[in-house]
Each structure stands twice: as C-alpha cells, then as structure tokens.
Amino acid sequence: MSSQVLYDSPGPRTRRYTLIGSLVFGALALAGLYAFVYRPLAANNQFSADLWGPLADPSNENFPLVWDRIRTGFANTLAAATLAIAASLIVGTALGVLRFRLAAVVAAPRPRTASARWWAVRTAVWVLNVVTRVFVEFFRGLPVVLTIFFTARILPEYGVDLPTRYFLVIGLALYNSVIIGEILRSGMANLPRGQREAAEAIGLSGTQTVLSILLPQAFRIMLPALISQVVVVLKDTSLGFIISYEEALQVASQIIQVLHNPIQVYAVIAAIYIALNYALSRLATYAQRRIARGRKSPPGAVVPDVLVPSRLGGAGEGPL
Amino acid sequence: MDVLTGNAGVFASGFFVTFQIVLLAAVGALVLGTLVAAMRISPLPPLRWLGTAYVTVVRNTPLTIVFFMTAFGLPEIGVDAGFLRIPLLDSLFTRLGTDVPYFRFAIVALTVYTAAFVCEALRAGVNAVQPGQSEAGRSLGLTFTQNLRLIVLPQAGRATVVPLGSVIIAMIKNSALAGAFGVAGDLFQTSDELTSAQGLPAIPVFIGVAAGYLILTVPLGLLLDRIERSQAVTR
C-alpha cells in the first residue's frame, strides 16, 4: 500500500478511528456522488429507456444497428492503431539506432592524423546528428492533433491521395516513432558500459554491437514504457475524427445525430476504451514484473528514471 | 512566407488564447490533482478507492471522449460550467464570462483529464521517499503533520518537479483539442480556419502554428532537462 511511507502499522485505537472515519467519509462521498452526479442526470431524464434502450435493450429496434456501427467503428480504430503501432515501432527503432550511432561517432576521439576523408565523414555525421535532433525536438513538441491534421492537409496538396486511414496512421506514426526512438535510445544509453566494452573486445563493429547486444537489451528493459506508449497510440487513434476517419468516436457522433443521446453513447464508448486500455496496462505491469523476476538485470542498469515515458514523450502517460 | 507575415496577428492571437487555456487548466489540474493525490494516500479506504477509481477511469479514457462528454454531454443536463465565471478572474480572462460555454468546457475537460496525471506524479513522488525517512522522523517523536511537513513533503517535492513538468507539457499539447471543440481562435482552430476557410497553403500555416506550440513546449522541456541533470548530481 502506498501509505507505507506515511503511517505506522495501526494500533487498536487508530483502527477504530480509521473505521469511523471511513464510514463518515464513505457516506459523504456517496452523498456527493448522489447530489452531483446522480441527481442532475436523473433530473434531466438521462436514465430513461428512450436514451439507453438502443444501447442496452436487445429488443429495441435500433439495438442491432447501433452495435453493428459501434463494431465497425472499433474495427477501424483497431486497424488504424495496429498500423500506427507497427509503423512507429519500425521507424522508431531505426531512428533510435541511428541517433545512438550518430552520437557515438560524434563523441569518438579524433585520430592523431585526421585525413580529409575523416573530416568529411565527421562533418556529415555532425550535420545528420543535428538534423535528426531537430526532427525529434520538433515532432516531440507538437500536439498529435496537429501532425494528423496537417498530414491530411499537406500530402494531398502534393498529389499524394491516400484513404483517410493512412493519413491518420502517418500522423500518429510521425509523433510516436519519435517517442519510441527516444525510449530505445535512452534505454541503450543507460545500459552498463561493460556491455558495449565486452562487445568491442570480442571484435564486433559499432553497428553489430548496437544491433546484437544493446538493442535487444534496451527492448527488454523498456518493454513497460513501450507498452504504455502503445496505450497512448490506441487512445490517440480517437483523434481520427478530426479528419473524418470513421473510427469509434466518429461513429458515435453519427449515432448521436440520429438518437440524440450523447451521454449514453459516449459512456459506452468510453467503457470499451477503458476495458481495452486497462487490459493493456495490466499487460505492462505483468511484463515489468516478469522482467524484474526473470533474468537478473545487469547491475547498474538503472531502470526507473528512463521508465517514465512522459519524460520522453510528454504524452507519456501523457499526451493523450 | 507572405502567409506567415501577413497573418502574424492571427497567429499571435491564437497563441494568446491557447496560452490562456493552458494557464487556467494548469492551475485547475494542479489543485484537483493534489486533492485526488491526497485521497489516494489517505489512511481511509473509501477515499483511496474513490481516488483510485478516478485515476483508472480517466487515464484509460481518450481525452477526445472527455472533451465530447463535456462539450455535448454537459449541455444535456443543463450545465454550462457557470461556476468558472469567477468574478475578478473573468475580467482578466474575458472568455470565462461569455455566454458561449466552450472555453469553460475546454478548461473543465483539460482539468479533469490532466488532474489524473498530476495525481500520479505527486503520488509517485511521495512513494519515492524511503520509508526509513519517516520512520526516523516518527522515532524522533515528530507528529504526523510535522513528519509530513518537515520530512516527507520536502523530499517528495524535489522528486516531483520533473514528472509534473512533463505532465504540464503534455497538457499544453493536449490543449490543441480545445480548438476542435468549439473554442474559436485558439492555435489549432486558427490553422483550420486559415487552411479550410481561407484556402491558404498548408505548409506555411503549419509552420506558424507549430512555432506557437514549440515556443511553449521546447523551453519548458529544456528547463526540465536541466533540473533533472542537477538533481542527478545531488542524488
């Protein structure tokens, strides 16, 4: 329990006070919920069968149609989310590896006799390093809504005409691949130095070291952060309504235009989202525990700091 | 380029509206988030359950749904968030007092959503304090309040600054959704207005609007990096 830091284990008197306090505040909380949630809803007839029927009553004439639409909506949501996650993982991994290698090359010491070719390579690497850095900072600092919206605006201006789904996927992937790239990069940077030194000692090249030694470990350590980013992508897919992609919320709006029951429909959609995301978060916790319990992580592999995804992405838990 | 210079005023006023939303919602989220965090670490189980339920529900709901609920759900039960027409404040932020409720709705939605993340950042900070610290405090005879005030909160506060900052950065970005829900004239809605209604080319508009958000998010991110680095040393 979180209260471990703050409280001693309670004695009999404290237990009695806790019980009394619990009853009092529990009653207060229930009264609050009744006064500020139930009563306004009931007073405005929000519990009526007219509004809930199409969602909850199988004998209602609209029931099959409504749920058929919701199913279509979530199928589209999941399709776009899956594509976006796959794209973000692939591009993000590439970006993370590239940034890590560039930083390593830039930090490497200058040989005593530096040839013109060495200077040329070094300058190119330096420029590329700056370019990727700017790319990362740029997309990391922007709202995802904005990248989605402008993907759908800018690409058609240049004659790229795709189905809406792909604009959504590109917009999501632009943002999330940057985040995933940074998660993996910091994962690799925070591995104990011995890993890299051992790889060098047995004669692996820089790229081999990254691909076969550092990247797999970074994936494993960062798995929880990666999974919470997947939750973020799933939630962000709901932004598809901005560009009229027919995902769950777009479908919800269509239903509401006909049936005029926004609170009920959004509550149902929210419940489905919560169930999906909650399952995914549990998976993240489970993965984290497996990792902690499974192979002993190498000493010095400091996980906690880098595990805060919001620090990297902002959404993190964040953005949406 | 002409698009940027010609509409500089439009971008600037969009930035100003976004800035107002961010400022008000940040204050709201910090207050509400602290309250929920207090509930989650309280010794009383019902309060803990309530706090946990709030955080679980809100964190797993897309912000979009929270916005839909406030913008289309609240009017259904006759609420226009009028409690935000706070007397002195609404002369400073004039949009708080208008009859069009969407600015207030945006603040409600962002506050409700962000508070869950604020709560988690604060709670993580309190949990980061080693149990031995408050045990030592108690064995010195400090009362619960003294312990909290002198031992736990100062240490927790330090561990909280950076995660809280990240939450605020995320909220700045999330505020863009307000423009899609009826708040006229914020940065995001401005971009829609300029490209859709006025038919301006998308790339320059994108640059102008992106600059508005980056001005807010990038310096804050750099500041957090610095704080984080200085803390890494002291730790």
Side-chain angles (χ1 to χ4, degrees):
Chain A
M1 191 89 314
S2 65
S3 25
Q4 201 60 300
V5 185
L6 292 173
Y7 316 109
D8 264 329
S9 8
R13 195 172 55 171
T14 315
R15 268 205 293 270
R16 200 161 60 233
Y17 286 158
T18 308
L19 183 66
I20 296 171
S22 295
L23 290 177
V24 171
F25 276 97
L28 275 180
L30 285 181
L33 285 179
Y34 174 77
F36 292 107
V37 180
Y38 178 80
R39 259 222 338 232
L41 286 176
N44 290 281
N45 253 335
Q46 293 296 326
F47 293 110
S48 69
D50 277 356
L51 296 175
W52 281 102
L55 291 159
D57 176 12
S59 61
N60 190 293
E61 49 168 342
N62 289 319
F63 183 86
L65 198 59
V66 163
W67 277 99
D68 188 53
R69 296 295 298 146
I70 293 181
R71 215 171 298 129
T72 318
F74 268 100
N76 282 336
T77 297
L78 290 177
T82 315
L83 283 174
I85 289 163
S88 316
L89 276 176
I90 295 169
V91 179
T93 309
L95 191 67
V97 168
L98 180 68
R99 293 249 302 134
F100 186 76
R101 282 298 295 147
L102 289 175
V105 173
V106 169
R110 179 156 59 100
R112 186 157 318 149
T113 52
S115 62
R117 185 162 166 277
W118 185 87
W119 280 110
V121 170
R122 174 55 66 96
T123 316
V125 165
W126 188 83
V127 170
L128 202 55
N129 192 25
V130 171
V131 169
T132 52
R133 174 89 202 266
V134 169
F135 180 83
V136 165
E137 292 294 340
F138 184 76
F139 282 107
R140 200 155 72 144
L142 286 187
V144 209
V145 208
L146 212 62
T147 55
I148 295 171
F149 179 77
F150 277 100
T151 308
R153 275 291 140 83
I154 292 175
L155 288 186
E157 276 186 20
Y158 289 85
V160 186
D161 222 356
L162 296 169
T164 330
R165 175 179 296 173
Y166 293 97
F167 290 135
L168 177 61
V169 168
I170 295 172
L172 285 171
L174 268 178
Y175 175 78
N176 288 289
S177 54
V178 164
I179 305 299
I180 288 178
E182 288 301 281
I183 290 177
L184 289 175
R185 191 184 61 82
S186 82
M188 289 190 281
N190 282 295
L191 286 173
R193 200 156 31 140
Q195 295 291 323
R196 204 176 333 161
E197 290 169 351
E200 263 170 46
I202 59 171
L204 297 186
S205 73
T207 311
Q208 281 174 326
T209 308
V210 170
L211 292 185
S212 52
I213 308 289
L214 301 181
L215 190 59
Q217 298 191 62
F219 257 115
R220 200 157 53 83
I221 294 184
M222 290 303 182
L223 194 59
L226 290 174
I227 295 180
S228 25
Q229 199 57 36
V230 167
V231 173
V232 171
V233 177
L234 187 55
K235 281 162 75 183
D236 283 358
T237 310
S238 63
L239 295 172
F241 86 94
I242 297 263
I243 55 174
S244 314
Y245 175 59
E246 204 171 52
E247 46 72 60
L249 278 174
Q250 184 78 17
V251 166
S253 306
Q254 296 163 358
I255 296 175
I256 288 159
Q257 267 166 19
V258 182
L259 298 176
H260 306 291
N261 53 351
I263 293 184
Q264 291 71 20
V265 172
Y266 289 130
V268 167
I269 303 280
I272 300 176
Y273 259 109
I274 291 169
L276 278 175
N277 289 326
Y278 189 69
L280 271 175
S281 320
R282 298 300 304 202
L283 184 66
T285 322
Y286 173 75
Q288 201 163 9
R289 215 170 291 149
R290 276 289 302 256
I291 291 168
R293 197 184 48 189
R295 277 193 267 171
K296 289 263 184 296
S297 47
V302 191
V303 185
D305 267 6
V306 277
L307 275 189
V308 183
S310 49
R311 184 71 210 87
L312 299 156
E317 317 185 351
L320 287 156
Chain B
M1 206 54 215
D2 292 351
V3 176
L4 279 179
T5 47
N7 292 294
V10 182
F11 287 123
S13 75
F15 178 80
F16 184 57
V17 174
T18 291
F19 185 70
Q20 289 188 357
I21 296 176
V22 166
L23 203 64
L24 291 169
V27 174
L30 286 177
V31 172
L32 184 61
T34 312
L35 212 70
V36 181
M39 286 167 70
R40 281 204 80 175
I41 59 175
S42 91
L44 305 176
L47 291 186
R48 276 207 304 267
W49 296 330
L50 199 60
T52 312
Y54 177 85
V55 169
T56 312
V57 166
V58 172
R59 277 221 308 187
N60 289 309
T61 312
L63 176 60
T64 325
I65 295 188
V66 180
F67 262 103
F68 269 117
M69 271 287 193
T70 42
F72 302 117
L74 288 184
E76 289 289 307
I77 54 170
V79 174
D80 71 344
F83 59 87
L84 279 174
R85 300 186 186 191
I86 304 159
L88 277 172
L89 208 60
D90 67 0
S91 48
L92 196 58
F93 301 94
T94 43
R95 287 190 173 215
L96 276 182
T98 52
D99 287 333
V100 187
Y102 293 111
F103 184 80
R104 291 192 296 272
F105 284 159
I107 288 167
V108 169
L110 275 175
T111 299
V112 165
Y113 183 78
T114 314
F117 294 92
V118 169
C119 162
E120 286 307 272
L122 292 175
R123 203 170 62 95
V126 170
N127 284 338
V129 179
Q130 292 181 4
Q133 295 286 323
S134 58
E135 279 165 16
R138 278 195 294 270
S139 67
L140 285 174
L142 297 187
T143 65
F144 177 74
T145 355
Q146 282 177 324
N147 207 348
L148 201 62
R149 191 163 52 89
L150 299 171
I151 310 288
V152 177
L153 285 187
Q155 300 188 56
R158 210 171 307 147
T160 304
V161 175
V162 173
L164 265 188
S166 312
V167 170
I168 298 297
I169 292 184
M171 196 202 70
I172 295 174
K173 296 193 270 177
N174 288 338
S175 76
L177 261 186
F181 286 91
V183 175
D186 91 320
L187 269 174
F188 181 72
Q189 200 271 332
T190 299
S191 63
D192 196 12
E193 165 76 22
L194 290 179
T195 53
S196 306
Q198 302 191 20
L200 295 176
I203 289 187
V205 177
F206 178 55
I207 294 173
V209 173
Y213 283 105
L214 293 176
I215 289 174
L216 291 171
T217 53
V218 171
L220 203 49
L222 293 178
L223 179 71
L224 290 182
D225 279 346
R226 270 187 74 163
I227 296 176
E228 196 173 29
R229 228 171 296 143
S230 69
Q231 281 183 352
V233 178
T234 49
R235 231 187 284 137

